[in-house]
Amino acid sequence: MVPDESSVPHMEHVASGKVRELYALDHERLLLVATDRVSTFDVVLPTEIPDKGRVLTGLSAFWFARTRAICPNHLLAVRPDGRSTECRRLQMLPIECVIRGYLSGSGWRDYRATGEVCGHRLPEGLRESERLREPIFTPATKTASGHDENITRAQAGALVGPARLAEVERLSLALYRFAADRARQCGIIIADTKFEFGQDGDGRLVLGDEALTPDSSRFWPADGYRPGHPQPSFDKQFVRDFCERTGWSKTPPGPELPEPVVAGTRARYVEAFERLTGIAFAAYLADPTVVLR
Ligand code: Q0N
């Protein structure tokens, strides 16, 4: 009945993330589907944010199209539904390539405890959310429990080899610098971001997963940025504030979101899309390939 729903694949399921699904199209290609699910405090909520998956798919495709000269990526096509992308099948590396331009989250916690983040010794006296003089590469691995654990460069080198590691560090820093500069001009701080790389059949490094979305990054409004405190999330702050107000224990199940929180959050995702791409979200819905031009 609804044309959009007919594109939901009836295919071999390859992997699930909290809010995305991966299916096999054939031996060389995967279909990556971004749902409208939203997670907060590591829990997927029972209420969806309409079009969130389309916003993230469009943003990721936008960045893939603009960073191809820095690094090849797995994107082959964006489907007309705006939430599914056809991707090259890769051999993924077993590390997450995190770049931090600002001190937040586990970076801030590790710095407070040790003065270091993943082996980078940082100057004394930095404040929470402070901008770093230079962005740093802070690799992580997924633990058995599904959480991320920061590792040192030496540990990452043992997992992928020192030459591969040097290459993904250089590429990750270049990708982050490119996007963070552009985003800053649009009033959005990309505080940190995570990349996942794989290799193709010829052993060449290819950027996979999603790239430079609010789910793989911390987006902060540049307006009102004030180090010394946690910063509000550009996209999820209404969700977090609501969850805090309800007194929810932050263990599953999460609370249903009221309509004004859903509408406000959807508007923030659309605003991030429009600010960063300079493209009306309605134009993306009409023809998702607009982000590739
Ligand atoms: C792959 N994951 C991570 C997305 C990400 N191009 C690829 N080729 C082979 N495998 C993968 C990719 C990609 N991207 C990446 N798992 C497999 C986890 N997920 C889970 C669900 O959605």
Side-chain angles (χ1 to χ4, degrees):
M1 160 220 163
V2 187
D4 180 56
E5 303 303 318
S6 66
S7 61
V8 173
H10 48 274
M11 282 176 249
E12 184 199 332
H13 189 243
V14 172
S16 283
K18 283 206 291 283
V19 303
R20 291 177 304 150
E21 305 289 345
L22 204 48
Y23 301 87
L25 286 169
D26 54 43
H27 276 292
E28 284 81 42
R29 298 177 310 143
L30 299 175
L31 190 70
L32 180 52
V33 182
T35 70
D36 291 338
R37 298 195 291 263
V38 63
S39 72
T40 190
F41 303 110
D42 242 16
V43 174
V44 177
L45 301 181
T47 313
E48 297 191 328
I49 305 299
D51 291 327
K52 170 176 178 280
R54 292 191 176 89
V55 165
L56 269 64
T57 297
L59 262 182
S60 198
F62 171 83
W63 290 120
F64 279 143
R66 278 151 190 80
T67 59
R68 289 178 55 193
I70 300 174
C71 178
N73 60 68
H74 71 166
L75 178 66
L76 295 170
V78 184
R79 293 229 167 147
D81 68 8
R83 69 167 72 251
S84 329
T85 55
E86 297 172 17
C87 303
R88 291 164 68 190
R89 201 169 212 166
L90 305 170
Q91 190 110 290
M92 300 304 289
L93 301 185
I95 60 169
E96 309 203 322
C97 295
V98 178
I99 301 291
R100 300 173 187 274
Y102 294 73
L103 203 45
S104 179
S106 67
W108 168 242
R109 281 197 296 278
D110 292 354
Y111 169 74
R112 285 244 296 199
T114 67
E116 297 186 4
V117 186
C118 298
H120 297 270
R121 176 145 293 276
L122 298 176
E124 280 176 38
L126 295 177
R127 295 165 291 170
E128 182 171 15
S129 310
E130 190 148 342
R131 185 180 183 170
L132 301 173
R133 292 216 330 201
E134 299 290 343
I136 55 175
F137 175 70
T138 60
T141 49
K142 280 243 182 301
T143 62
S145 61
H147 285 92
D148 296 346
E149 182 174 82
N150 288 340
I151 55 177
T152 63
R153 266 222 222 51
Q155 290 171 305
L159 288 169
V160 303
R164 266 293 185 244
L165 185 70
E167 206 180 351
V168 296
E169 172 168 11
R170 178 180 64 77
L171 293 172
S172 299
L173 282 165
L175 291 164
Y176 172 80
R177 285 202 165 95
F178 175 85
D181 286 353
R182 283 198 62 148
R184 188 63 193 76
Q185 293 169 17
C186 309
I188 293 175
I189 292 172
I190 303 181
D192 51 40
T193 196
K194 180 197 78 175
F195 300 109
E196 293 191 29
F197 293 89
Q199 49 189 345
D200 66 15
D202 302 321
R204 277 190 275 268
L205 266 185
V206 178
L207 179 61
D209 204 55
E210 64 183 329
L212 299 155
T213 69
D215 274 9
S216 64
S217 320
R218 277 192 181 82
F219 281 15
W220 295 337
D223 239 29
Y225 164 67
R226 212 160 50 100
H229 313 264
Q231 304 301 298
S233 162
F234 191 93
D235 45 305
K236 286 183 183 170
Q237 200 55 43
F238 296 148
V239 172
R240 293 198 189 144
D241 290 348
F242 171 77
C243 288
E244 299 281 11
R245 283 201 303 277
T246 61
W248 169 50
S249 63
K250 298 175 186 170
T251 59
E256 297 266 9
L257 301 175
E259 179 48 31
V261 172
V262 172
T265 302
R266 181 186 181 281
R268 290 298 276 175
Y269 280 109
V270 170
E271 184 180 347
F273 175 94
E274 293 187 334
R275 281 211 217 172
L276 290 169
T277 66
I279 298 167
F281 187 59
Y284 178 73
L285 294 179
D287 176 10
T289 65
V290 290
V291 294
L292 305 177
R293 298 198 266 269

